[in-house]
């Protein structure tokens, strides 16, 4: 019986979204701009990487061709002649350019409602929400209360947080309430408990996620976020591909952030890891363990959290190259009727203004030893990815999207 593996390259968009202007993102193109900067030496960093973007394995699966299909322009260093697999472009119908919207739609469930967002003002959070959080979680108050980049705000307020015991609360253009606190001075379990309370309080406001952002270090220069991030997310509004496969009695391996993003729904095996190499190892372990009909999904978050939001072009390019160099290991571990899908949930163009996600189309690169190469075009919803996998796994069709195989 077939199996399916999704490697979700968080934020690796390929430009061209027809509605990008409505988000202030017209012209954003994560992969395309990284390739352009790399071709002109602007993605060089001593000791890390240099020269044109080198992604031979993803390119062979159709990455360059997908970017060209999405934007009309072939990025420098990539090729428009894929060697195998099906390649195409995914267009999102959910309105949010956030992680849950992208992931749920990929798993066959576009988001039918508008998320709640916090305004760009200071304070950003409703005073009554914060008053309830402070009272119920027994806090001396909070710091932040604004839109911010997570690494900037711990540099700005980390000292005061350690001194006062007030957690740092911030948001972004996503539907999100984030809480940063020190792992030992404040305590990791206490941070999780505060986030649990915050999730109860923000759910009625349709806020998609509360995220615990623990950090360590004693000074502004040495503060560092740890791998103990935890996301408290709403449950998807309909059964996703994960639920459908689990309900059919098959295994669903959720690797990295995946389980959190689907609120654990439909997950039978949860594997954690920090950083691209470790998440890669977990994916290979899952492929080794997974039986017939299994669905394996890995979120490679670092592209987004370490490089996209940080507007770090050389770092992003190096991470793509490191992922690409290991792709042959997955392909070598595939059985004859395994299906591999590489895709993304939204863009996060590191050459763009600000530090937020960018509305973009995403690559859909599909490989199976059993499949002849072909183009699948621009798909009108990410849900086509979920329906393709559902069909591959022999599940009944869902309500959204169509299989492209
Ligand atoms: O700046 P950091 O803390 O990485 O936060 C980013 O990560 C969140 C989740 O993707 C986004 O909403 C954005 O705010
Ligand atoms: Mn994401
Ligand atoms: Mn993000």
């Amino acid at each position: 019986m077939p199996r399916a593996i999704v490697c979700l390259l968080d934020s690796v968009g390929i430009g061209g979204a027809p509605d990008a202007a409505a988000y202030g993102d017209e012209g954003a193109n994560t992969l395309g701009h990284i390739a352009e900067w790399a071709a002109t030496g602007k993605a060089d960093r001593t000791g890390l990487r240099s020269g044109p973007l080198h992604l031979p394995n993803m390119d062979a699966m159709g990455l360059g061709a997908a970017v060209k299909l999405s934007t009309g322009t072939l990025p420098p260093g990539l090729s428009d002649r894929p060697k195998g697999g099906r390649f195409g472009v995914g267009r999102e119908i959910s309105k949010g350019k956030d992680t849950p919207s992208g992931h749920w739609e990929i798993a066959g469930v576009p988001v039918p409602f508008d998320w709640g967002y916090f305004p760009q003002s200071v304070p950003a959070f409703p005073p009554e929400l914060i008053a309830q959080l402070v009272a119920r979680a027994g806090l001396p108050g909070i710091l932040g209360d604004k839109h911010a980049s997570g690494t900037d705000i711990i540099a700005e307020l980390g000292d005061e947080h350690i001194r006062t015991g007030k957690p740092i609360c911030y948001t972004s253009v996503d539907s999100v309430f984030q809480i940063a606190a020190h792992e030992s001075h404040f305590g990791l379990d206490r941070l999780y408990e505060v986030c649990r309370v915050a999730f109860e309080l923000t759910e009625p406001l349709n806020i998609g996620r509360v995220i615990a952002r623990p950090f360590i270090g004693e000074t502004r220069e040495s503060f560092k976020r740890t791998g103990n991030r935890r996301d408290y997310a709403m449950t998807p509004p309909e059964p996703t591909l994960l639920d459908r496969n689990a309900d059919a009695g098959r295994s669903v391996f959720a690797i990295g952030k995946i389980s959190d993003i689907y609120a654990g729904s439909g997950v039978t095996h949860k594997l954690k890891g920090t950083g691209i190499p470790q998440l890669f190892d977990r994916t290979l372990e899952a492929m080794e363990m997974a039986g017939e009909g299994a669905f394996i999904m890995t979120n490679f978050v670092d592209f987004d959290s370490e490089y996209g939001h940080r507007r770090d072009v050389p770092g992003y390019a190096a991470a793509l190259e490191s992922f690409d160099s290991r792709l042959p290991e997955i392909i070598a571990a595939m059985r004859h009727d395994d299906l591999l899908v590489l895709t993304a949930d939204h863009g996060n163009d590191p050459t763009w203004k600000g530090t937020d996600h960018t509305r973009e189309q995403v690559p859909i690169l599909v490989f199976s030893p059993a499949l002849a190469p072909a183009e699948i075009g621009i798909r009108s919803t990410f849900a086509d990815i979920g329906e393709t996998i559902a069909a591959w796994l022999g599940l009944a069709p869902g309500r959204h999207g169509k299989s492209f195989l």
Side-chain angles (χ1 to χ4, degrees), residues 67-93:
V67 186
K68 188 173 175 192
L69 181 62
S70 181
T71 62
T73 306
L74 180 66
L78 299 186
S79 144
D80 56 1
R81 282 194 217 98
K83 298 201 177 78
R86 306 270 160 111
F87 73 92
V89 174
R91 184 173 285 172
E92 185 168 18
I93 53 173

PDB file of all heavy atoms in Angstrom, residues 67-93:
ATOM      1  N   VAL A  67       9.070  28.320 -10.234  1.00  0.00           N
ATOM      2  CA  VAL A  67       9.181  29.777 -10.038  1.00  0.00           C
ATOM      3  C   VAL A  67       8.858  30.485 -11.356  1.00  0.00           C
ATOM      4  O   VAL A  67       8.136  31.498 -11.369  1.00  0.00           O
ATOM      5  CB  VAL A  67      10.590  30.194  -9.545  1.00  0.00           C
ATOM      6  CG1 VAL A  67      10.613  31.684  -9.221  1.00  0.00           C
ATOM      7  CG2 VAL A  67      11.023  29.409  -8.331  1.00  0.00           C
ATOM      8  N   LYS A  68       9.356  29.943 -12.452  1.00  0.00           N
ATOM      9  CA  LYS A  68       9.079  30.566 -13.752  1.00  0.00           C
ATOM     10  C   LYS A  68       7.581  30.538 -14.061  1.00  0.00           C
ATOM     11  O   LYS A  68       7.007  31.520 -14.547  1.00  0.00           O
ATOM     12  CB  LYS A  68       9.876  29.850 -14.849  1.00  0.00           C
ATOM     13  CG  LYS A  68       9.783  30.551 -16.186  1.00  0.00           C
ATOM     14  CD  LYS A  68      10.706  29.940 -17.197  1.00  0.00           C
ATOM     15  CE  LYS A  68      10.478  30.593 -18.558  1.00  0.00           C
ATOM     16  NZ  LYS A  68      11.157  29.843 -19.611  1.00  0.00           N
ATOM     17  N   LEU A  69       6.941  29.426 -13.733  1.00  0.00           N
ATOM     18  CA  LEU A  69       5.495  29.324 -13.949  1.00  0.00           C
ATOM     19  C   LEU A  69       4.744  30.327 -13.067  1.00  0.00           C
ATOM     20  O   LEU A  69       3.741  30.920 -13.479  1.00  0.00           O
ATOM     21  CB  LEU A  69       5.051  27.886 -13.625  1.00  0.00           C
ATOM     22  CG  LEU A  69       3.590  27.510 -13.781  1.00  0.00           C
ATOM     23  CD1 LEU A  69       3.156  27.676 -15.240  1.00  0.00           C
ATOM     24  CD2 LEU A  69       3.370  26.052 -13.340  1.00  0.00           C
ATOM     25  N   SER A  70       5.247  30.554 -11.870  1.00  0.00           N
ATOM     26  CA  SER A  70       4.571  31.448 -10.919  1.00  0.00           C
ATOM     27  C   SER A  70       4.728  32.919 -11.289  1.00  0.00           C
ATOM     28  O   SER A  70       3.782  33.703 -11.147  1.00  0.00           O
ATOM     29  CB  SER A  70       5.128  31.216  -9.510  1.00  0.00           C
ATOM     30  OG  SER A  70       4.480  32.033  -8.559  1.00  0.00           O
ATOM     31  N   THR A  71       5.923  33.297 -11.759  1.00  0.00           N
ATOM     32  CA  THR A  71       6.210  34.734 -11.931  1.00  0.00           C
ATOM     33  C   THR A  71       6.565  35.120 -13.361  1.00  0.00           C
ATOM     34  O   THR A  71       6.681  36.312 -13.663  1.00  0.00           O
ATOM     35  CB  THR A  71       7.439  35.145 -11.071  1.00  0.00           C
ATOM     36  OG1 THR A  71       8.577  34.409 -11.537  1.00  0.00           O
ATOM     37  CG2 THR A  71       7.225  34.844  -9.602  1.00  0.00           C
ATOM     38  N   GLY A  72       6.803  34.137 -14.234  1.00  0.00           N
ATOM     39  CA  GLY A  72       7.240  34.441 -15.602  1.00  0.00           C
ATOM     40  C   GLY A  72       8.746  34.606 -15.727  1.00  0.00           C
ATOM     41  O   GLY A  72       9.259  34.795 -16.825  1.00  0.00           O
ATOM     42  N   THR A  73       9.463  34.580 -14.601  1.00  0.00           N
ATOM     43  CA  THR A  73      10.908  34.793 -14.653  1.00  0.00           C
ATOM     44  C   THR A  73      11.645  33.621 -14.023  1.00  0.00           C
ATOM     45  O   THR A  73      11.333  33.216 -12.895  1.00  0.00           O
ATOM     46  CB  THR A  73      11.281  36.088 -13.869  1.00  0.00           C
ATOM     47  OG1 THR A  73      10.496  37.150 -14.385  1.00  0.00           O
ATOM     48  CG2 THR A  73      12.754  36.419 -14.007  1.00  0.00           C
ATOM     49  N   LEU A  74      12.627  33.105 -14.740  1.00  0.00           N
ATOM     50  CA  LEU A  74      13.459  32.028 -14.188  1.00  0.00           C
ATOM     51  C   LEU A  74      14.557  32.646 -13.333  1.00  0.00           C
ATOM     52  O   LEU A  74      15.338  33.460 -13.822  1.00  0.00           O
ATOM     53  CB  LEU A  74      14.085  31.224 -15.338  1.00  0.00           C
ATOM     54  CG  LEU A  74      14.987  30.061 -14.923  1.00  0.00           C
ATOM     55  CD1 LEU A  74      14.174  28.975 -14.222  1.00  0.00           C
ATOM     56  CD2 LEU A  74      15.711  29.495 -16.129  1.00  0.00           C
ATOM     57  N   PRO A  75      14.624  32.294 -12.050  1.00  0.00           N
ATOM     58  CA  PRO A  75      15.659  32.903 -11.198  1.00  0.00           C
ATOM     59  C   PRO A  75      17.059  32.439 -11.613  1.00  0.00           C
ATOM     60  O   PRO A  75      17.220  31.294 -12.041  1.00  0.00           O
ATOM     61  CB  PRO A  75      15.331  32.384  -9.804  1.00  0.00           C
ATOM     62  CG  PRO A  75      14.045  31.678  -9.905  1.00  0.00           C
ATOM     63  CD  PRO A  75      13.804  31.324 -11.335  1.00  0.00           C
ATOM     64  N   PRO A  76      18.070  33.312 -11.478  1.00  0.00           N
ATOM     65  CA  PRO A  76      19.431  32.938 -11.832  1.00  0.00           C
ATOM     66  C   PRO A  76      19.898  31.746 -11.003  1.00  0.00           C
ATOM     67  O   PRO A  76      19.596  31.652  -9.815  1.00  0.00           O
ATOM     68  CB  PRO A  76      20.258  34.184 -11.497  1.00  0.00           C
ATOM     69  CG  PRO A  76      19.388  35.044 -10.641  1.00  0.00           C
ATOM     70  CD  PRO A  76      17.971  34.685 -10.944  1.00  0.00           C
ATOM     71  N   GLY A  77      20.622  30.852 -11.672  1.00  0.00           N
ATOM     72  CA  GLY A  77      21.158  29.679 -10.970  1.00  0.00           C
ATOM     73  C   GLY A  77      20.228  28.480 -11.016  1.00  0.00           C
ATOM     74  O   GLY A  77      20.640  27.371 -10.718  1.00  0.00           O
ATOM     75  N   LEU A  78      18.938  28.695 -11.380  1.00  0.00           N
ATOM     76  CA  LEU A  78      17.998  27.572 -11.451  1.00  0.00           C
ATOM     77  C   LEU A  78      17.698  27.255 -12.911  1.00  0.00           C
ATOM     78  O   LEU A  78      17.979  28.052 -13.811  1.00  0.00           O
ATOM     79  CB  LEU A  78      16.704  27.899 -10.691  1.00  0.00           C
ATOM     80  CG  LEU A  78      16.854  28.192  -9.195  1.00  0.00           C
ATOM     81  CD1 LEU A  78      15.490  28.357  -8.538  1.00  0.00           C
ATOM     82  CD2 LEU A  78      17.627  27.090  -8.482  1.00  0.00           C
ATOM     83  N   SER A  79      17.103  26.086 -13.125  1.00  0.00           N
ATOM     84  CA  SER A  79      16.863  25.624 -14.497  1.00  0.00           C
ATOM     85  C   SER A  79      15.367  25.467 -14.749  1.00  0.00           C
ATOM     86  O   SER A  79      14.600  25.200 -13.824  1.00  0.00           O
ATOM     87  CB  SER A  79      17.574  24.284 -14.684  1.00  0.00           C
ATOM     88  OG  SER A  79      16.824  23.434 -15.501  1.00  0.00           O
ATOM     89  N   ASP A  80      14.942  25.645 -16.005  1.00  0.00           N
ATOM     90  CA  ASP A  80      13.526  25.406 -16.284  1.00  0.00           C
ATOM     91  C   ASP A  80      13.318  24.043 -16.949  1.00  0.00           C
ATOM     92  O   ASP A  80      12.297  23.803 -17.573  1.00  0.00           O
ATOM     93  CB  ASP A  80      12.902  26.545 -17.103  1.00  0.00           C
ATOM     94  CG  ASP A  80      13.647  26.799 -18.392  1.00  0.00           C
ATOM     95  OD1 ASP A  80      14.622  26.074 -18.657  1.00  0.00           O
ATOM     96  OD2 ASP A  80      13.242  27.731 -19.122  1.00  0.00           O
ATOM     97  N   ARG A  81      14.321  23.156 -16.784  1.00  0.00           N
ATOM     98  CA  ARG A  81      14.160  21.804 -17.348  1.00  0.00           C
ATOM     99  C   ARG A  81      14.259  20.747 -16.254  1.00  0.00           C
ATOM    100  O   ARG A  81      15.334  20.197 -15.993  1.00  0.00           O
ATOM    101  CB  ARG A  81      15.205  21.551 -18.428  1.00  0.00           C
ATOM    102  CG  ARG A  81      14.812  22.243 -19.706  1.00  0.00           C
ATOM    103  CD  ARG A  81      15.620  21.765 -20.902  1.00  0.00           C
ATOM    104  NE  ARG A  81      15.864  22.921 -21.740  1.00  0.00           N
ATOM    105  CZ  ARG A  81      16.971  23.613 -21.730  1.00  0.00           C
ATOM    106  NH1 ARG A  81      17.979  23.263 -20.972  1.00  0.00           N
ATOM    107  NH2 ARG A  81      17.095  24.672 -22.492  1.00  0.00           N
ATOM    108  N   PRO A  82      13.121  20.463 -15.568  1.00  0.00           N
ATOM    109  CA  PRO A  82      13.147  19.464 -14.508  1.00  0.00           C
ATOM    110  C   PRO A  82      13.512  18.085 -15.060  1.00  0.00           C
ATOM    111  O   PRO A  82      13.213  17.779 -16.208  1.00  0.00           O
ATOM    112  CB  PRO A  82      11.710  19.448 -13.981  1.00  0.00           C
ATOM    113  CG  PRO A  82      10.949  20.451 -14.746  1.00  0.00           C
ATOM    114  CD  PRO A  82      11.798  21.036 -15.808  1.00  0.00           C
ATOM    115  N   LYS A  83      14.124  17.286 -14.188  1.00  0.00           N
ATOM    116  CA  LYS A  83      14.553  15.953 -14.644  1.00  0.00           C
ATOM    117  C   LYS A  83      13.548  14.865 -14.267  1.00  0.00           C
ATOM    118  O   LYS A  83      13.577  13.767 -14.810  1.00  0.00           O
ATOM    119  CB  LYS A  83      15.911  15.620 -14.026  1.00  0.00           C
ATOM    120  CG  LYS A  83      17.022  16.585 -14.455  1.00  0.00           C
ATOM    121  CD  LYS A  83      18.387  15.940 -14.266  1.00  0.00           C
ATOM    122  CE  LYS A  83      19.522  16.824 -14.734  1.00  0.00           C
ATOM    123  NZ  LYS A  83      19.858  17.898 -13.773  1.00  0.00           N
ATOM    124  N   GLY A  84      12.683  15.166 -13.297  1.00  0.00           N
ATOM    125  CA  GLY A  84      11.732  14.123 -12.895  1.00  0.00           C
ATOM    126  C   GLY A  84      10.641  14.709 -12.049  1.00  0.00           C
ATOM    127  O   GLY A  84      10.768  15.830 -11.570  1.00  0.00           O
ATOM    128  N   GLY A  85       9.565  13.965 -11.847  1.00  0.00           N
ATOM    129  CA  GLY A  85       8.499  14.403 -10.952  1.00  0.00           C
ATOM    130  C   GLY A  85       7.522  15.370 -11.587  1.00  0.00           C
ATOM    131  O   GLY A  85       7.675  15.785 -12.731  1.00  0.00           O
ATOM    132  N   ARG A  86       6.519  15.719 -10.817  1.00  0.00           N
ATOM    133  CA  ARG A  86       5.516  16.690 -11.260  1.00  0.00           C
ATOM    134  C   ARG A  86       5.821  18.012 -10.578  1.00  0.00           C
ATOM    135  O   ARG A  86       6.112  18.019  -9.388  1.00  0.00           O
ATOM    136  CB  ARG A  86       4.114  16.234 -10.831  1.00  0.00           C
ATOM    137  CG  ARG A  86       3.754  14.834 -11.272  1.00  0.00           C
ATOM    138  CD  ARG A  86       3.098  14.829 -12.615  1.00  0.00           C
ATOM    139  NE  ARG A  86       3.187  13.511 -13.217  1.00  0.00           N
ATOM    140  CZ  ARG A  86       2.156  12.700 -13.421  1.00  0.00           C
ATOM    141  NH1 ARG A  86       0.948  13.077 -13.072  1.00  0.00           N
ATOM    142  NH2 ARG A  86       2.331  11.528 -13.984  1.00  0.00           N
ATOM    143  N   PHE A  87       5.739  19.089 -11.308  1.00  0.00           N
ATOM    144  CA  PHE A  87       5.980  20.377 -10.669  1.00  0.00           C
ATOM    145  C   PHE A  87       4.841  21.330 -11.008  1.00  0.00           C
ATOM    146  O   PHE A  87       4.227  21.245 -12.069  1.00  0.00           O
ATOM    147  CB  PHE A  87       7.315  20.979 -11.112  1.00  0.00           C
ATOM    148  CG  PHE A  87       7.277  21.509 -12.525  1.00  0.00           C
ATOM    149  CD1 PHE A  87       6.952  22.842 -12.781  1.00  0.00           C
ATOM    150  CD2 PHE A  87       7.529  20.672 -13.593  1.00  0.00           C
ATOM    151  CE1 PHE A  87       6.895  23.325 -14.082  1.00  0.00           C
ATOM    152  CE2 PHE A  87       7.464  21.147 -14.902  1.00  0.00           C
ATOM    153  CZ  PHE A  87       7.148  22.480 -15.149  1.00  0.00           C
ATOM    154  N   GLY A  88       4.558  22.239 -10.081  1.00  0.00           N
ATOM    155  CA  GLY A  88       3.531  23.235 -10.323  1.00  0.00           C
ATOM    156  C   GLY A  88       3.557  24.284  -9.234  1.00  0.00           C
ATOM    157  O   GLY A  88       4.523  24.391  -8.462  1.00  0.00           O
ATOM    158  N   VAL A  89       2.465  25.045  -9.178  1.00  0.00           N
ATOM    159  CA  VAL A  89       2.384  26.208  -8.297  1.00  0.00           C
ATOM    160  C   VAL A  89       1.084  26.121  -7.505  1.00  0.00           C
ATOM    161  O   VAL A  89       0.041  25.787  -8.068  1.00  0.00           O
ATOM    162  CB  VAL A  89       2.387  27.502  -9.149  1.00  0.00           C
ATOM    163  CG1 VAL A  89       2.163  28.739  -8.279  1.00  0.00           C
ATOM    164  CG2 VAL A  89       3.699  27.627  -9.919  1.00  0.00           C
ATOM    165  N   GLY A  90       1.155  26.445  -6.207  1.00  0.00           N
ATOM    166  CA  GLY A  90      -0.047  26.474  -5.376  1.00  0.00           C
ATOM    167  C   GLY A  90      -0.446  27.903  -5.074  1.00  0.00           C
ATOM    168  O   GLY A  90       0.394  28.730  -4.735  1.00  0.00           O
ATOM    169  N   ARG A  91      -1.737  28.162  -5.197  1.00  0.00           N
ATOM    170  CA  ARG A  91      -2.301  29.488  -4.898  1.00  0.00           C
ATOM    171  C   ARG A  91      -3.242  29.314  -3.705  1.00  0.00           C
ATOM    172  O   ARG A  91      -4.051  28.398  -3.692  1.00  0.00           O
ATOM    173  CB  ARG A  91      -3.068  29.971  -6.134  1.00  0.00           C
ATOM    174  CG  ARG A  91      -3.623  31.350  -6.034  1.00  0.00           C
ATOM    175  CD  ARG A  91      -4.216  31.774  -7.376  1.00  0.00           C
ATOM    176  NE  ARG A  91      -3.184  32.106  -8.359  1.00  0.00           N
ATOM    177  CZ  ARG A  91      -3.426  32.365  -9.651  1.00  0.00           C
ATOM    178  NH1 ARG A  91      -4.667  32.304 -10.124  1.00  0.00           N
ATOM    179  NH2 ARG A  91      -2.441  32.665 -10.479  1.00  0.00           N
ATOM    180  N   GLU A  92      -3.139  30.226  -2.729  1.00  0.00           N
ATOM    181  CA  GLU A  92      -3.919  30.062  -1.493  1.00  0.00           C
ATOM    182  C   GLU A  92      -5.273  30.766  -1.601  1.00  0.00           C
ATOM    183  O   GLU A  92      -5.336  31.910  -2.057  1.00  0.00           O
ATOM    184  CB  GLU A  92      -3.111  30.645  -0.320  1.00  0.00           C
ATOM    185  CG  GLU A  92      -3.756  30.428   1.038  1.00  0.00           C
ATOM    186  CD  GLU A  92      -2.814  30.738   2.200  1.00  0.00           C
ATOM    187  OE1 GLU A  92      -1.797  31.434   1.976  1.00  0.00           O
ATOM    188  OE2 GLU A  92      -3.107  30.291   3.320  1.00  0.00           O
ATOM    189  N   ILE A  93      -6.352  30.086  -1.166  1.00  0.00           N
ATOM    190  CA  ILE A  93      -7.644  30.787  -1.129  1.00  0.00           C
ATOM    191  C   ILE A  93      -7.977  31.290   0.279  1.00  0.00           C
ATOM    192  O   ILE A  93      -8.753  32.210   0.424  1.00  0.00           O
ATOM    193  CB  ILE A  93      -8.828  29.944  -1.680  1.00  0.00           C
ATOM    194  CG1 ILE A  93      -8.916  28.586  -0.998  1.00  0.00           C
ATOM    195  CG2 ILE A  93      -8.718  29.772  -3.179  1.00  0.00           C
ATOM    196  CD1 ILE A  93     -10.180  27.810  -1.401  1.00  0.00           C
TER     197      ILE A  93
END
